[in-house]
């Protein structure tokens, strides 16, 4: 067949941006779903307080960071503000029994896991078509902080940042490259890839680096550190909105196209470490390259994404050689689909998420 002339890039991008917004909007959780989840949190908090009166149950992960999709799971963290609290193992066992007695949830206690948790789930029913899945962990204060950091990034430029992140979350789930247990990357890892790209790859940047903006008043080490990790970042979004305006005017579609391009051909996977805190780092400088004493270092550090606060921790350590190969293959596939610029942008979206 005769080749049709490709539609101009600006026209394709305008069309694709609109499609992305429309696509993402219908995937946001409904007000009803959010209300049900908040009721669940309150109910569980009330029950936990019958055992530990000084406890609070807080949301983290996507339900609290602005990147939640319809029917995403609930990540909850229990904080106990008293000195003589029960060991996590005992607490997990007691809470498991209590929830089993007092609620309709299916319960699974994992008291001996690396991070002890209680898992709760509710089967789907009318009015709750996907059920509920919820994990309760304990004293995970760093997760609360990184959730707050991501939330601030989501709020700085919601139209572009949230749209990109939400789309990529759907895309990586549909393409089956979002299972740390099977050697691919967690949602948290993908969000860090997007923030890194917008902050350190795009020039001019779409996002400021909140961890590098100096505080407005002197603050002590006690205020900035948590379990030995510096968790300080500029979190006054109102001030930031007045003072910081990105001079990058690219559309969400242009950013998406470049995101896939960057991670399919430009990022130096063999030597580079993605750090939203400090920009591009080397595996060597972090001791994440081939360390002869740690035979598994190479296997654990195929893909390196530094946690924003726990900087010795590679968020992508679960990604295997095959997993990375698959992920990179998917970035290339996505790049190819977008470069072909089908006449109607929604066709590109449908192909991407096939
Ligand atoms: P989803 O909607 O797919 O559940 P999510 O935003 O909740 O996505 P998760 O990957 O479930 O993302 O992570 C939830 C939270 O758990 C993160 O905000 C982070 O605090 C913590 N977390 C998850 N994975 C890691 C990891 N590999 N390293 C460190 N913290 C992690
Ligand atoms: Mg989650």
């Amino acid at each position: 067949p005769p080749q049709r002339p490709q539609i101009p890039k600006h026209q394709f991008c305008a069309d694709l941006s609109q499609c992305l917004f429309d696509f993402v909007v219908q995937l946001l959780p409904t007000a009803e779903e959010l209300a049900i989840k908040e009721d669940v949190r309150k109910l569980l908090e009330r029950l936990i307080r019958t055992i530990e009166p000084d406890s609070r149950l807080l949301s983290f992960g996507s339900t609290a960071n602005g990147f939640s999709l319809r029917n995403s799971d609930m990540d909850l963290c229990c904080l106990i503000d008293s000195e003589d609290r029960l060991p996590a193992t005992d607490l997990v066992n007691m809470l498991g029994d209590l929830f089993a007695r007092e609620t309709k949830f299916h319960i699974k206690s994992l008291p001996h896991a690396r991070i002890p948790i209680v898992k709760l789930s509710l089967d789907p029913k009318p009015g709750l078509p996907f059920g509920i899945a919820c994990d309760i962990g304990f004293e995970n204060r760093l997760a609360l902080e990184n959730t707050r950091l991501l939330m601030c990034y989501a709020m700085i430029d919601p139209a572009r940042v949230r749209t990109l992140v939400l789309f990529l979350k759907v895309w990586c789930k549909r393409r089956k490259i979002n299972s740390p247990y099977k050697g691919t990357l967690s949602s948290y890892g993908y969000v860090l890839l997007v923030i890194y790209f917008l902050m350190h790859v795009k020039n001019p940047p779409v996002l400021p680096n909140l961890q590098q903006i100096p505080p407005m008043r002197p603050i002590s080490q006690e205020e900035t550190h948590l379990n030995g990790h510096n968790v300080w970042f500029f979190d006054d979004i109102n001030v930031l909105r007045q003072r910081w305006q990105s001079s990058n005017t690219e559309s969400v579609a242009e950013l998406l196209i470049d995101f896939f391009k960057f991670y399919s051909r430009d990022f130096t996977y063999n030597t580079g470490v993605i750090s939203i805190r400090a920009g591009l780092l080397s595996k060597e400088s972090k001791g994440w390259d081939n360390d002869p004493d740690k035979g598994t270092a190479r296997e654990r550090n195929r893909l390196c994404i530094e946690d924003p606060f726990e900087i010795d921790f590679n968020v992508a350590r679960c990604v295997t050689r095959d997993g990375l190969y698959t992920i990179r293959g998917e970035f290339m596939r996505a790049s190819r689909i977008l470069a072909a610029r089908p006449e109607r942008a929604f066709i590109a979206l449908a192909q991407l998420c096939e």
Side-chain angles (χ1 to χ4, degrees), residues 57-114:
L57 192 60
L58 304 173
S59 277
F60 69 101
S62 61
T63 15
N65 66 19
F67 297 131
S68 104
L69 295 166
R70 210 163 274 200
N71 319 311
S72 56
D73 57 358
M74 292 175 77
D75 302 298
L76 296 174
C77 168
C78 177
L79 296 184
I80 301 166
D81 300 315
S82 78
E83 295 295 307
D84 56 331
R85 50 174 179 261
L86 291 162
T89 316
D90 296 349
L91 200 54
V92 163
N93 282 323
M94 288 169 76
L95 286 177
D97 293 345
L98 176 71
F99 295 151
R101 259 195 334 268
E102 300 286 332
T103 71
K104 294 200 171 94
F105 287 96
H106 302 293
I107 311 292
K108 194 168 172 191
S109 306
L110 303 174
H112 302 294
R114 190 176 61 89

Side-chain angles (χ1 to χ4, degrees), residues 263-318:
Y263 287 110
S264 46
R265 53 156 220 220
D266 298 330
F267 180 67
T268 47
Y269 289 90
N270 284 337
T271 53
V273 174
I274 290 156
S275 162
I276 66 167
R277 171 189 68 92
L280 178 65
L281 300 174
S282 68
K283 290 189 188 180
E284 195 183 359
S285 73
K286 297 201 60 94
W288 285 356
D289 53 349
N290 232 340
D291 182 341
D293 295 334
K294 301 176 197 148
T296 51
R298 188 175 152 86
E299 198 39 56
R300 272 188 290 110
N301 296 324
R302 295 273 173 192
L303 173 62
C304 291
I305 306 176
E306 181 193 79
D307 186 83
F309 301 132
E310 226 177 320
I311 63 174
D312 287 332
F313 182 71
N314 177 10
V315 169
R317 75 201 175 293
C318 298

Side-chain angles (χ1 to χ4, degrees), residues 215-287:
M216 302 218 286
R217 62 177 174 83
I219 42 178
S220 67
Q221 173 114 353
E222 262 176 20
E223 289 174 274
T224 57
H225 281 63
L226 183 61
N227 308 338
H229 304 288
N230 184 354
V231 296
W232 190 86
F233 64 95
F234 194 93
D235 62 355
D236 193 334
I237 288 298
N238 291 327
V239 170
L240 200 76
R241 281 206 177 120
Q242 285 162 21
R243 290 208 194 155
W244 198 84
Q245 181 69 55
S246 169
S247 42
N248 184 311
T249 56
E250 286 172 84
S251 66
V252 71
E254 287 171 279
L255 294 171
L256 183 69
I257 291 169
D258 278 1
F259 173 89
F260 284 133
K261 232 188 246 165
F262 175 73
Y263 287 110
S264 46
R265 53 156 220 220
D266 298 330
F267 180 67
T268 47
Y269 289 90
N270 284 337
T271 53
V273 174
I274 290 156
S275 162
I276 66 167
R277 171 189 68 92
L280 178 65
L281 300 174
S282 68
K283 290 189 188 180
E284 195 183 359
S285 73
K286 297 201 60 94

Side-chain angles (χ1 to χ4, degrees), residues 150 187-197 263 274 276 305-308 315:
L150 299 195
S187 298
Y188 180 58
Y190 283 103
V191 180
L192 295 176
L193 291 187
V194 178
I195 293 175
Y196 175 84
F197 169 76
Y263 287 110
I274 290 156
I276 66 167
I305 306 176
E306 181 193 79
D307 186 83
V315 169

Side-chain angles (χ1 to χ4, degrees), residues 303-342:
L303 173 62
C304 291
I305 306 176
E306 181 193 79
D307 186 83
F309 301 132
E310 226 177 320
I311 63 174
D312 287 332
F313 182 71
N314 177 10
V315 169
R317 75 201 175 293
C318 298
V319 175
T320 58
R321 198 173 80 119
D322 288 353
L324 182 57
Y325 184 81
T326 311
I327 293 171
R328 289 181 69 176
E330 285 298 331
F331 287 144
M332 290 179 207
R333 174 183 178 275
S335 250
R336 232 173 14 243
I337 291 173
L338 293 173
R341 280 187 234 146

Side-chain angles (χ1 to χ4, degrees), residues 135-169:
D135 289 351
I136 303 184
F138 299 85
E139 294 298 322
N140 194 356
R141 290 174 198 254
L142 282 169
L144 293 170
E145 289 306 309
N146 68 39
T147 294
R148 225 162 53 77
L149 177 69
L150 299 195
M151 184 191 70
C152 286
Y153 284 125
M155 282 164 66
I156 291 172
D157 189 342
R160 291 189 290 179
V161 179
R162 279 184 78 202
T163 306
L164 266 183
V165 167
L166 291 173
F167 175 73
L168 283 162
K169 278 178 72 170

